[in-house]
Amino acid sequence: LMTFRDLIDAEDPGAIVPAPGSYISPWGEFQNFTPDLMENLDASGLAPLDAVSFHLYATQSSTCPMIIDEAVPASLFDEELNEQHRGFARIMRDAAGGLPVWNTESASAQCGGQHGLSNTLADALWWADWIGLMAEEGTSMIVRHALVGADYALLSADNFDPRPTFLTLVLYRRLVHRLRLATTVDRTQVKAHSYCHPDAPGALTVVLVNPGPDAKVGEIDVTGASVIKADAWRLEGPDGLGSFTATINGESPESDGTIPQPAPRKVTIVGGSAYPELPPSTLTFVQVETDPPVTACQ
């Protein structure tokens, strides 16, 4: 590994070198190489690496040799299973010795993904929540597996049409800065995460996932501030969680793959709080402006 580090430093100075960290298997194999690696690096006095990495999937598809957590929507949004995944992320964070932690391979189901789940809206809603969960537990980067190929790909292999999860990532790119804010939510009702907005200093973006069959109305309160403006972009599909396509505020991707940039939907504000509508099986991004502005996002 250090020979590789020396090669990279010579050929591409400044390039980032992550360690091959750990592989978390659903059938009881936790190949946690990171603690030994960090101990050996410290003992040798060799130059440190830039990050450590791990692989983690939410469930197992029907093509896996063993299924512990079945690839169905109920598993993706199960809080007990999510807590187990959080635990793996915390183990990696604690073993990394302060280095950034990267999840370098992840999707809703292993072994190529699950047809009817990993290529549908269910996966898009899960992925939006998964990004926030991993960030909350100290994972600074997540790499989706994969761009094209199998059922967990972001693009259809037939015509490269964007699948719903690709649209989730587009909305994250447009509306979310890398800084995640402390968020309190009843996760039995809605999955929620908040971040700084990338282009509006002092503003934040709240990501709200309603995977259930019932419509809800969210309430967004910002500690120490009043909401004065809130705009929403909603990802939804024609067939609920099983949709193979999705729209953003009712607009579909163009035939050439261009992703729509529709106007936002205004969110009701009452008494300094925002109240976005959350229909069943939807993902909603809400851009929130407050008075005073959020200090952490300035």
Side-chain angles (χ1 to χ4, degrees):
L1 181 60
M2 297 316 301
T3 298
F4 179 71
R5 166 96 250 185
D6 292 341
L7 174 64
I8 293 300
D9 287 344
E11 297 295 330
D12 190 7
I16 294 174
V17 177
S22 302
Y23 171 70
I24 299 166
S25 164
W27 34 87
E29 299 175 10
F30 182 13
Q31 301 295 339
N32 190 2
F33 308 119
T34 302
D36 286 344
L37 174 65
M38 301 304 293
E39 182 179 348
N40 289 333
L41 286 175
D42 290 342
S44 67
L46 295 172
L49 298 161
D50 299 306
V52 298
S53 68
F54 71 108
H55 293 185
L56 179 62
Y57 289 81
T59 62
Q60 296 80 55
S61 72
S62 57
T63 58
C64 284
M66 183 182 297
I67 298 174
I68 304 300
D69 301 305
E70 185 182 8
V72 294
S75 296
L76 296 184
F77 302 108
D78 179 78
E79 283 306 296
E80 185 176 342
L81 186 55
N82 278 330
E83 184 55 40
Q84 177 180 315
H85 296 320
R86 286 176 181 269
F88 286 132
R90 286 193 290 267
I91 289 172
M92 294 303 305
R93 176 198 65 199
D94 295 343
L99 290 178
V101 178
W102 295 357
N103 181 342
T104 48
E105 188 175 309
S106 187
S108 58
Q110 288 177 305
C111 310
Q114 180 66 48
H115 185 76
L117 180 83
S118 301
N119 50 357
T120 65
L121 185 65
D123 179 271
L125 271 58
W126 165 80
W127 187 243
D129 184 40
W130 184 258
I131 291 172
L133 290 179
M134 291 293 103
E136 186 174 358
E137 303 302 341
T139 299
S140 61
M141 185 176 73
I142 304 176
V143 179
R144 173 73 184 202
H145 197 66
L147 181 61
V148 178
D151 286 308
Y152 49 29
L154 297 173
L155 304 177
S156 168
D158 296 330
N159 49 21
F160 300 136
D161 281 350
R163 288 175 171 166
T165 306
F166 186 90
L167 301 185
T168 291
L169 284 169
V170 169
L171 288 171
Y172 256 95
R173 285 287 189 179
R174 290 177 179 173
L175 299 169
V176 169
H177 187 268
R178 65 180 180 270
L179 179 62
R180 186 188 184 280
L181 304 172
T183 308
T184 302
V185 62
D186 180 356
R187 287 184 55 84
T188 64
Q189 299 296 316
V190 173
K191 318 301 183 185
H193 306 276
S194 56
Y195 309 83
C196 291
H197 191 280
D199 301 317
L204 57 91
T205 298
V206 181
V207 179
L208 299 161
V209 177
N210 179 13
D214 300 321
K216 296 180 171 64
V217 175
E219 179 179 359
I220 299 175
D221 298 309
V222 181
T223 302
S226 296
V227 177
I228 57 175
K229 182 181 179 182
D231 295 324
W233 289 263
R234 182 188 303 155
L235 187 72
E236 56 192 333
D239 301 310
L241 292 179
S243 301
F244 290 93
T245 61
T247 60
I248 300 175
N249 280 3
E251 296 188 19
S252 302
E254 302 289 343
S255 58
D256 65 356
T258 300
I259 307 302
Q261 298 194 54
R265 293 170 173 163
K266 297 300 179 183
V267 175
T268 300
I269 298 173
V270 178
S273 299
Y275 293 88
E277 296 181 0
L278 308 174
S281 305
T282 57
L283 166 62
T284 304
F285 287 70
V286 184
Q287 180 181 345
V288 177
E289 297 181 19
T290 63
D291 183 26
V294 177
T295 302
C297 297
Q298 291 182 302

